[in-house]
């Protein structure tokens, strides 16, 4: 009598799956040829790929169904310029918002000054014009220091206003610069060539400013 062996249904078994994944970069025609070649190879092995699983995404990538997977994988297009990736465009716009056109800064207006009547420029020896000719300052800050020096030591008026400086520039015949800016720069410098005067809105030449004027006639 033949003997039948009882098989234990709880006995451990073994099963394996091979997952295939690939990506392709080519033109539309090249991708189609590659897909057809893969389909032919799978067909020879008895594995079929349904034709309706091939899809074209809106962003220019092709979807090809993989063996053993229910979801299609994307194969990138060869020419990235032909792809229109809407999501990537939106991210770029969020991270890099358009810059607003910058408004050009308006140039600071030069203040108009009032000339002083009869400031006494010709009442001393040397006069303001003669003293300026002796010193021969080459820059606008040096010219301003020469004027402040003459006011302090020859006209005996240490405090000098911007209007007085303006009148001095016009009397000597120098081109009038931005006096307020030069005064601010001289008073803000560490060497204090020009300091704040005792009267409101006035300035006075400092010690180092005086030394600079004393050397002008010798060096220049």
């Amino acid at each position: 009598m033949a003997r039948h062996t009882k098989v234990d249904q709880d006995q451990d078994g073994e099963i394996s799956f091979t997952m295939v994944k690939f990506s392709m970069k080519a033109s539309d025609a090249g991708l189609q040829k590659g897909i057809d070649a893969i389909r032919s190879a799978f067909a020879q092995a008895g594995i079929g790929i349904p034709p309706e699983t091939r899809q074209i995404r809106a962003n220019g990538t092709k979807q090809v169904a993989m063996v053993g997977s229910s979801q299609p994988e994307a194969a990138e297009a060869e020419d990235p310029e032909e792809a229109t990736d809407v999501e990537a465009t939106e991210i770029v716009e969020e991270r890099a918002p358009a810059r607003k056109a910058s408004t050009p800064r308006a140039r600071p207006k030069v203040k108009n000054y009032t000339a002083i009547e009869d400031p006494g420029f010709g009442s001393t020896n040397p006069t303001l014009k003669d003293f300026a000719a002796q010193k021969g300052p080459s820059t606008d800050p040096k010219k301003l220091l020469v004027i402040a020096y003459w006011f302090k030591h020859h006209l005996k008026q240490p405090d000098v206003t911007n209007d007085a400086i303006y009148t001095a520039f016009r009397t000597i015949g120098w081109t009038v610069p931005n006096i307020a800016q030069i005064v601010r720069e001289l008073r803000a410098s560490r060497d204090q060539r020009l300091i704040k005067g005792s009267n409101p809105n006035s300035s006075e030449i400092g010690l180092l400013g005086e030394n600079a004027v004393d050397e002008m006639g010798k060096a220049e």
Side-chain angles (χ1 to χ4, degrees):
M1 176 182 291
R3 182 178 295 180
H4 297 278
T5 305
K6 184 178 179 181
V7 179
D8 188 359
Q9 295 181 355
D10 295 332
Q11 183 178 357
D12 292 339
E14 182 179 352
I15 186 171
S16 63
F17 291 88
T18 301
M19 306 300 292
V20 179
K21 180 179 179 180
F22 70 96
S23 62
M24 296 175 58
K25 288 186 178 181
S27 62
D28 290 345
L31 288 173
Q32 187 61 52
K33 290 181 180 180
I35 293 171
D36 292 341
I38 295 171
R39 179 183 299 280
S40 176
F42 284 147
Q44 293 179 4
I47 303 173
I49 302 177
E52 59 273 8
T53 57
R54 296 197 305 272
Q55 299 177 5
I56 303 297
R57 284 187 176 178
N59 62 358
T61 60
K62 292 184 179 297
Q63 288 186 327
V64 182
M66 298 292 99
V67 177
S69 174
S70 60
Q71 297 294 332
E73 295 288 336
E76 297 180 359
E78 178 182 12
D79 190 355
E81 294 183 357
E82 295 179 358
T84 56
D85 196 339
V86 178
E87 294 182 358
T89 303
E90 291 177 353
I91 293 175
V92 171
E93 291 178 352
E94 291 178 359
R95 293 183 179 178
R99 294 183 178 178
K100 295 182 180 179
S102 58
T103 304
R105 294 183 179 178
R107 293 183 177 180
K109 295 181 179 180
V110 179
K111 180 181 177 182
N112 292 325
Y113 303 100
T114 303
I116 300 175
E117 295 183 3
D118 192 19
F121 291 155
S123 61
T124 61
N125 186 21
T127 64
L128 175 62
K129 281 188 175 182
D130 292 339
F131 184 73
Q134 293 173 9
K135 297 301 179 181
S138 57
T139 64
D140 289 335
K142 291 180 178 180
K143 292 175 182 178
L144 196 148
L145 289 177
V146 167
I147 294 171
Y149 185 102
W150 183 86
F151 263 86
K152 182 176 183 178
H153 294 282
H154 296 284
L155 197 60
K156 306 303 180 182
Q157 295 181 9
D159 289 348
V160 57
T161 63
N162 290 356
D163 288 338
I165 295 172
Y166 164 78
T167 306
F169 267 89
R170 295 296 302 271
T171 301
I172 298 171
W174 289 335
T175 301
V176 180
N178 190 336
I179 296 173
Q181 179 179 352
I182 297 175
V183 169
R184 285 195 300 268
E185 292 175 354
L186 288 172
R187 287 173 57 168
S189 61
R190 293 183 178 181
D191 55 17
Q192 295 289 293
R193 288 175 292 173
L194 198 68
I195 60 178
K196 183 179 180 181
S198 57
N199 294 322
N201 301 322
S202 66
S203 303
E204 179 182 349
I205 190 170
L207 176 61
L208 294 182
E210 294 177 3
N211 294 340
V213 174
D214 288 336
E215 295 298 323
M216 281 183 192
K218 304 175 183 178
E220 300 184 16

